[in-house]
Amino acid sequence: MTSTSDAPTGLWWNQAAMAGERRRGPTFLLLALALALLVPALILVGAAGFSKVARGHELLVVEQLRAIALLKVGQIERWLSERRQDAELVSTSPVLLRDLPRWLRDGDSHTRDLILVQLDAMRRIEGFQAVMVMDAAGVVALGVGGHHQAAGPLLDTAARALASGRVEFTDLYHDQVDGEEHIHLDFVAPLGPEAPTGFVVVLRLDRDAFLFPFLQDWPLPSASAETLLVRRDGDAVLFLNALRDRTDTAMRLRLPLGAGSLLAGQVVSGQVLPGEPVRALDYRGVPVLGLALPVAGTAWYLIAKIDLAELTAAERRDLLWLGSALGLALVLMLVSALLLYQRHSLRLARVHQQEQAARLHDLQLRDAVVDASSDAIYAKDLAGTYLLFNRAAADFCATTPEAALGRDDQAIFPPEQAALLMAHDRQVMAEDRTITFQEELTTAQGSITFLATKGPLYDAAGRVVGLFGIARDITERARAEEENRTQLDELRRWQRLVLGREARILELKQEVNTLLARTGQGPRYPSATGSVDSG
């Protein structure tokens, strides 16, 4: 189909060609004058284009840094929240609340072994480095995994937990054990009211199981980009994680706040607003572009940064490309008026191509962030049709993200499960709030228990137009909880049987004593004397 804008262009060209045939001399003079005016104008346009490309590239990098920082801070906060929930779960364990007082009273090794088995099962299932039961004085009564030394930060945190009656956690701290230095992060929960007073359960996290590897991972190709975890330590800034360009720096590298050009120093001293991009020096003294976000509930700040040299190198490549295009356009303008017109069209097309490339890059960034997650992430419209279906969700359903788009739950899950999911969706959109559900679904890996958080999506006018969902596989945790409940029910059943048999034996002894008493004889079982029905 021919665009309506082509007709005036064609008409102009035909008229120009006809006029050129009649007035060739004046036409060349006008063309030369037009070229003389257009060359300076084009130079000005090129300079403006250079500035726009450089600024646009920096804004894109800033948005990438912000997106990655938000993603990592959110995942760290969720990780800390889940560990807090784990501590609450362990502190209310029926085995601890029932058997710990018995062991402390009687010193029964069998009871101690039962407690240790339960603690070790929790440790292995949740991936803790160690689990300990400790009193207020820091004496470790029981412990599994790792070493069980209580350092100063742990004692202070235990005192706070006992005073507040809720879960508390230490900051990252050093501890010396057998001449070796260890970095710990401990969650401390006071035991329930049924347990002896002054006892806490301590969950010691392995920094290398999640936190440090997660911080070192950068989701996009880059030669210098990095995430840092820092906090203020007196008049210095302390780097908490291992760094990309230096070894053995976790909890060791301290730099003074007095160096005003230090990015981390500006962050922890409050000179930089959260999420505000800033140019400064990093721990190597290298100029960087970075931004920082606080981690809720901690004194930590997460910094996402990239070397200015890498940023400017990319800008120079873009500017070189643009400069070559402009130079070629100048040459073409000097050839003929026709090539001038073609160059103008090409420039407009390139600007449009750059805008399309920027939009595509943003989409690819969002896709990369979503697909990098091991959680199932999805979005639906009001009719329940999938608008987003990440790779983890597709793997669970033995399909591809492309195949799932445009379909609803009835096309992916069994009817009963699809009806449950759709009911949850309707509840979220009807109540217009974020809700967390536990959903048992049949997947390509078998039956999986998901902890699904769903929330409404809005349009520009604030109307609900669908929902988003993030589902995490908690099958192992749910299975462990079910096994714990089964073991507890079995123990309670055996307890009832044993108590019932002992009560019946006592009744029989009392009846024998009663019969002997009626014949004038003394009781055969003095320990069983007591009131019985004398009938």
Side-chain angles (χ1 to χ4, degrees), residues 207-281:
R207 59 169 187 171
D208 294 322
F210 170 78
L211 185 60
F212 281 14
F214 173 71
L215 289 170
Q216 290 175 331
D217 178 59
W218 189 265
L220 297 174
S222 174
S224 65
E226 183 179 14
T227 50
L228 312 174
L229 199 63
V230 300
R231 67 173 171 84
R232 183 164 185 164
D233 187 21
D235 58 354
V237 56
L238 176 63
F239 292 78
L240 305 180
N241 64 306
L243 303 178
R244 177 172 184 165
D245 297 302
R246 290 190 184 179
T247 59
D248 197 24
T249 53
M251 297 290 293
R252 295 176 181 274
L253 180 61
R254 286 179 172 83
L255 296 178
L257 294 179
S261 56
L262 182 67
L263 174 60
Q266 295 180 24
V267 169
V268 300
S269 60
Q271 301 177 36
V272 179
L273 295 176
E276 177 186 356
V278 61
R279 294 181 178 225
L281 301 180

Side-chain angles (χ1 to χ4, degrees), residues 333-348:
M333 285 177 59
L334 297 174
V335 174
S336 68
L338 175 59
L339 295 181
L340 175 63
Y341 169 74
Q342 292 176 342
R343 182 262 160 208
H344 177 70
S345 300
L346 179 61
R347 185 172 62 86
L348 293 179

